Amino acid sequence: VLSDAPEAVRIEAYAHADQVLSSCAASGTDILLPSDERYPEGLRQLHDAPGILFARGSLLMAAAPSVAIVGTRAASSYGLRVA
């Protein structure tokens, strides 16, 4: 929990969060939580749904059947084996 972290760590974390929020605002990126009514219902039903979803553009298509490609810049050894 961040409240238990040393003050310097908290300051850095809050500064980074502020940068992310500013970048999202500048690029028109919405930040959605599962409690947001715009959060896609299909994702909300997953047992390991993303806690934060960054989205740009219309979310209307999120309700239609779709396919997603998800990747990572730093795959785990398990992820590399099963990919």
Side-chain angles (χ1 to χ4, degrees):
V1 176
L2 195 55
S3 62
D4 296 334
E7 183 176 3
V9 172
R10 289 195 312 271
I11 290 170
E12 185 176 339
Y14 288 128
H16 179 70
D18 192 47
Q19 289 173 345
V20 170
L21 292 173
S22 295
S23 176
C24 286
S27 67
T29 301
D30 291 321
I31 302 172
L32 306 175
L33 303 175
S35 59
D36 191 308
E37 65 183 27
R38 298 172 301 153
Y39 192 93
E41 188 59 35
L43 287 178
R44 192 187 318 252
Q45 293 177 10
L46 297 174
H47 78 287
D48 58 349
I52 299 174
L53 187 63
F54 296 90
R56 286 197 327 196
S58 174
L59 292 170
L60 294 175
M61 294 302 295
S66 58
V67 174
I69 299 172
V70 180
T72 181
R73 292 186 179 131
S76 66
S77 59
Y78 171 75
L80 291 171
R81 285 194 315 272
V82 299

